Amino acid sequence: MKISRSFYARDTLIVAKELLGKVLVHEVNGFKIKGRIVETEAYIGNIDKACHAYGGKRTPKLEPLYGKPGIAYVYFIYGMYHCFNAITKKEGSPEGVLIRAVEPLEGLEEMSQLRFKKSYNDLTKAKKKNLTSGPSKLCIALNINKDHNKEDLCGDVLYIEEDDNQNSFEIVEVKRIGIDYAEEAKDFLWRFYIKDNEWISKK
């Protein structure tokens, strides 16, 4: 069952934790690529120096952060890679959740071709483990790019759904990655991941 907008329209830290175990789905050319969300990071613009919109910063590129809950914010890093976020809380409040890693579930051959330009069966064990174990890796593997910025996650192209086959798990809460510039915010325990899952980006 697809997650409704009301799921996203809540406290960002709660959403970041409750997205774990859910399934990210991208429908591409008539087939579905799916990955179970195993790692997330929360960003809350009003108090978070690691958030792009900290201090009320507002530019055309940042407009999705201020959008309604349940839309995508896809941004470009290092002039090469994309990162995918789900907008949360309420319209006008710049908050969202970065999807940092997913566990491949469906469409493995498509993921492998997109990520490595090889058949999945030809991948080494290390490459299989490395398929979606990071925010930009998963965007490549699930074919998520700037065209999906502002995409409605309650639509039929890119969305998140419940996973009826997911077992119970323990959530680990730790510091976020790559934000040493963010002063006190670098110490917020706003990264969440499923304990012992082999597809997380970093323990």
Side-chain angles (χ1 to χ4, degrees), residues 119-155:
S119 171
Y120 184 76
N121 290 332
D122 292 334
L123 297 185
T124 63
K125 185 176 180 181
K127 282 190 173 180
K128 287 179 180 178
K129 192 173 179 180
N130 202 30
L131 193 59
T132 53
S133 59
S136 297
K137 296 174 188 178
L138 74 87
C139 281
I140 296 169
L142 273 79
N143 200 27
I144 298 171
N145 54 54
K146 62 182 180 180
D147 293 337
H148 303 103
N149 194 31
K150 299 184 182 180
E151 186 78 41
D152 190 349
L153 301 179
C154 299

Side-chain angles (χ1 to χ4, degrees), residues 145-197:
N145 54 54
K146 62 182 180 180
D147 293 337
H148 303 103
N149 194 31
K150 299 184 182 180
E151 186 78 41
D152 190 349
L153 301 179
C154 299
D156 297 319
V157 176
L158 182 65
Y159 54 90
I160 298 172
E161 62 183 16
E162 299 287 350
D163 184 1
D164 296 331
N165 299 315
Q166 173 63 49
N167 297 319
S168 61
F169 52 81
E170 183 178 338
I171 296 175
V172 179
E173 303 182 13
V174 291
K175 296 179 184 179
R176 294 171 294 179
I177 295 171
I179 56 164
D180 290 342
Y181 58 86
E183 298 181 3
E184 73 281 351
K186 68 182 174 57
D187 295 320
F188 295 171
L189 303 181
W190 287 2
R191 180 164 70 97
F192 310 101
Y193 66 82
I194 295 177
K195 186 177 180 180
D196 297 328
N197 187 279

Side-chain angles (χ1 to χ4, degrees), residues 91-107:
E91 191 165 2
S93 181
E95 303 185 28
V97 176
L98 171 68
I99 309 302
R100 276 204 64 90
V102 302
E103 176 182 342
L105 293 178
E106 189 175 312

